Amino acid sequence: MNTPKKTALVIGGSRGIGAAIALRLARDGANVALTYASAAAKAEQLAGAIEEHGVQALALKADSANAAELQAAVEQAAARFGRIDIVVLNAGILHIADIAEFGIETLDRMLDVNVRGVYLAIKAALPHMPPGGRVITIGSNTAVRSGHPGSSVYAMTKGAVAVMVKGLAVDLAPRGITINNIQPGPIETDMTADMIELVKDWIPLKRVGQPSEIAGLAAYLAGPESGYMTGASLTIDGGMSL
Ligand SMILES: NC(=O)c1ccc[n+]([C@@H]2O[C@H](COP(=O)([O-])OP(=O)(O)OC[C@H]3O[C@@H](n4cnc5c(N)ncnc54)[C@H](OP(=O)(O)O)[C@@H]3O)[C@@H](O)[C@H]2O)c1
């Protein structure tokens, strides 16, 4: 008898790290639902690529800053696949500016997407997650060492995620669900396109990372071998924060 496929939900899965994770989980045999904010064409294209792995895909438009949209997307994913085994909280935005110039609307938007949206998506997914479920957040090595002018708000949001994960690990343990946080350093995506050359020299390994390298760690956290790990923040940054 075939083992039923697992279902993964990647919040913010249309591009970059989220897309690489969605593809990797599909390659490992999971059906994948993913959300996006605006890149509909990329999300649909990715859904096609996911299905080439012999699994099902579902692309859902849901702004992580909008609680109702987020809730509706999670419900649609659960209704389509029956349950959610793995949820990846990847949606995130970056704005770098000195405190004197940092706009309140941008501050609110970053808190809404990077922190509130993460918490609300986990809250929405949990009723659909069986024991053995895996929650994986994508934080940042800026939670460990900021070191970059103007990154205080971004670092604040990612620090909040790391602490949220510790607290939720305790709350989710009785349900047999683990939660861990990946803290990447600079990874080659749209988000970092204009800073790659600048930051390369700050990294002991003298290169930026690839989305597939983050996806590899996510695959481990999503799998059975990570079952004793919960509440951890794992930094993967070429040694940048050492
Ligand atoms: N790249 C790095 O160097 C790096 C380092 C450390 C941490 N991270 C974190 O890793 C995550 C992914 O980064 P990335 O570099 O892959 O970014 P990216 O290339 O800009 O892609 C961001 C993804 O998140 C989605 N997204 C953004 N805002 C959203 C919203 N309000 N609602 C729903 N989805 C939203 C985007 O959807 P649309 O396509 O629809 O916009 C896209 O799929 C972020 O949390 C980021 O903070 C990145």
Side-chain angles (χ1 to χ4, degrees):
M1 205 177 83
N2 285 342
T3 322
K5 285 188 174 33
K6 292 205 163 172
T7 298
L9 169 62
V10 182
I11 301 294
S14 53
R15 293 182 288 118
I17 293 170
I21 293 173
L23 272 174
R24 174 58 196 263
L25 296 177
R27 196 182 95 192
D28 290 351
N31 292 322
V32 179
L34 60 98
T35 69
Y36 62 93
S38 54
K42 288 204 169 154
E44 289 302 338
Q45 196 182 12
L46 181 68
I50 286 170
E51 293 196 331
E52 284 172 20
H53 290 282
V55 298
Q56 295 177 53
L58 180 64
L60 299 160
K61 181 167 166 35
D63 182 349
S64 281
N66 183 318
E69 283 184 22
L70 207 43
Q71 179 79 33
V74 173
E75 296 304 332
Q76 271 177 272
R80 166 79 177 269
F81 296 118
R83 63 180 203 282
I84 297 169
D85 301 285
I86 302 153
V87 59
V88 181
L89 296 310
N90 174 77
I93 48 175
L94 167 71
H95 181 72
I96 292 180
D98 183 81
I99 187 167
E101 275 88 46
F102 215 101
I104 293 175
E105 276 180 20
T106 309
L107 170 68
D108 287 345
R109 176 87 186 154
M110 284 179 71
L111 290 168
D112 283 352
V113 175
N114 294 10
V115 183
R116 179 176 177 267
V118 170
Y119 187 81
L120 290 178
I122 296 170
K123 184 175 167 64
L126 277 174
H128 306 288
M129 296 187 75
R134 298 279 192 265
V135 182
I136 302 164
T137 59
I138 307 299
S140 162
N141 72 341
T142 55
V144 182
R145 179 177 182 274
S146 180
H148 187 296
S151 62
S152 62
V153 172
Y154 184 72
M156 168 171 69
T157 66
K158 296 303 188 177
V161 169
V163 178
M164 185 198 307
V165 162
K166 286 193 199 181
L168 285 177
V170 175
D171 292 353
L172 304 190
R175 307 180 198 204
I177 295 171
T178 66
I179 175 167
N180 293 289
N181 179 38
I182 298 177
Q183 300 189 140
I187 305 297
E188 196 171 347
T189 68
D190 296 343
M191 183 181 276
T192 51
D194 57 356
M195 58 174 89
I196 292 292
E197 281 311 311
L198 173 72
V199 298
K200 235 169 13 191
D201 283 345
W202 306 347
I203 302 169
L205 287 180
K206 295 292 175 213
R207 68 171 179 89
V208 296
Q210 291 303 313
S212 60
E213 295 179 288
I214 304 305
L217 182 52
Y220 166 72
L221 291 175
E225 287 174 308
S226 67
Y228 194 52
M229 184 184 293
T230 195
S233 280
L234 305 171
T235 300
I236 170 166
D237 69 349
M240 187 177 172
S241 52
L242 297 174

